[in-house]
Amino acid sequence: TLYVEGVRHDIDLHLHEWKERLPQGKFLLLYQSRPERGLEHLLRPGGIMDRLRDTNAHLLVCTYDNSPAHMAGFYAHLKQCAEALPNVTMLPALSKPKLAALQKSCDLLVYPTEFEEVSCITAMEAMHAGLPMLTSVVGALPETCQLVDAGVAFIPLKDGKADEDAFCGWIRSTLEGRNASMDDFRKRQLAAAQFRTWTKAVDHLE
C-alpha cells in the first residue's frame, strides 16, 4: 500500500457491486473494526448484546485476520464472550468484495468506541453500502461523517468511554420505530458516498 502525504483515504467504487447464510428475520448489526477498538462493549457480560437478548437484534462480527501475540488473551476472552451469546455470530475475515456484500445485507453498523480514528475507512465503506451507522463522538469520526451529512447517529462518550446504556437505548428505540427511518439514514449514506471516492480525493489533491 502506498501512502502519499496530502492524499486522504477513500473507497474503490467497484467493491460495492457474498451472500452467506445470515440469520433470517433479524435486525442485523455489524461490527467490523479491530476487536480492541470497542468490541468488548458489545460482547462482555452485561454489555450491549447481553442487554439486547430480548430483542430482534443480532450482531455479526467480522474483523481482520491479524492476531498479534500480545493480544491473544484478550481476543480469546472476546471469543468466549461471543460464544456465550445467542444473538452474536462470529464470521471469518472476509475479502473486500465479500465484506462489501455483507455490509449491504446488514441493517446497522455499530461501533461503540473510544479509539481516536484519524480517518475512518469503515465509516466510508458503510456510506457506499448504504449502511446506517451508530458510533461514538470521538476522534475524526464526526469529521469523516458529518462533513458530508452522512446517515450516522452519534453518541457522546460517558466518563471517557463508549456509553453502553445510550447505545442500547438507541437500538431499542430503532427497533420500536421511535427513531428516524432507517430508509432516511440509508439515503443519506448513499448521498454522502459520492464525496468519499478516490476521484474526489485526487481532485482535492490536485
Side-chain angles (χ1 to χ4, degrees):
T1 302
L2 175 64
Y3 294 94
V4 180
E5 185 175 354
V7 179
R8 67 185 186 215
H9 289 130
D10 276 300
I11 299 301
D12 294 322
L13 290 177
H14 75 278
L15 293 176
H16 287 266
E17 291 282 288
W18 185 60
K19 289 276 183 181
E20 302 282 353
R21 270 187 252 165
L22 300 177
Q24 297 298 304
K26 299 292 186 180
F27 186 80
L28 295 179
L29 309 175
L30 175 65
Y31 181 96
Q32 67 170 68
S33 298
R34 291 199 63 86
E36 60 269 27
R37 294 186 182 182
L39 185 55
E40 188 171 25
H41 292 297
L42 290 158
L43 300 185
R44 72 172 186 83
I48 294 169
M49 295 313 297
D50 198 5
R51 284 186 263 174
L52 293 175
R53 283 176 184 250
D54 62 323
T55 73
N56 198 37
H58 191 99
L59 175 67
L60 304 175
V61 178
C62 177
T63 188
Y64 300 88
D65 186 14
N66 179 6
S67 301
H70 71 282
M71 298 298 293
F74 180 63
Y75 286 6
H77 164 69
L78 292 178
K79 183 175 183 289
Q80 187 176 39
C81 290
E83 290 172 347
L85 291 165
N87 55 353
V88 174
T89 298
M90 298 292 286
L91 299 174
L94 302 177
S95 65
K96 280 286 191 179
K98 284 189 174 184
L99 177 59
L102 176 63
Q103 291 163 346
K104 289 186 174 183
S105 300
C106 292
D107 298 294
L108 181 68
L109 180 69
V110 60
Y111 188 25
T113 187
E114 303 86 47
F115 179 73
E116 294 192 351
E117 296 275 5
V118 295
S119 177
C120 187
I121 295 176
T122 287
M124 296 180 198
E125 289 176 341
M127 294 174 197
H128 285 271
L131 176 60
M133 182 176 182
L134 175 65
T135 191
S136 306
V137 180
V138 64
L141 280 163
E143 180 183 16
T144 300
C145 303
Q146 291 178 335
L147 287 180
V148 291
D149 191 28
V152 179
F154 284 97
I155 293 179
L157 298 181
K158 182 179 180 181
D159 299 324
K161 299 289 185 181
D163 189 342
E164 295 179 5
D165 292 334
F167 272 83
C168 286
W170 198 96
I171 293 168
R172 284 186 180 276
S173 293
T174 297
L175 293 171
E176 295 165 5
R178 293 185 283 117
N179 280 341
S181 161
M182 286 290 99
D183 285 340
D184 178 60
F185 275 91
R186 290 188 189 95
K187 290 174 183 175
R188 286 168 52 196
Q189 285 288 69
L190 290 170
Q194 307 313 306
F195 299 96
R196 296 300 188 199
T197 68
W198 279 114
T199 299
K200 291 289 185 182
V202 171
D203 289 346
H204 179 76
L205 175 65
E206 290 179 341

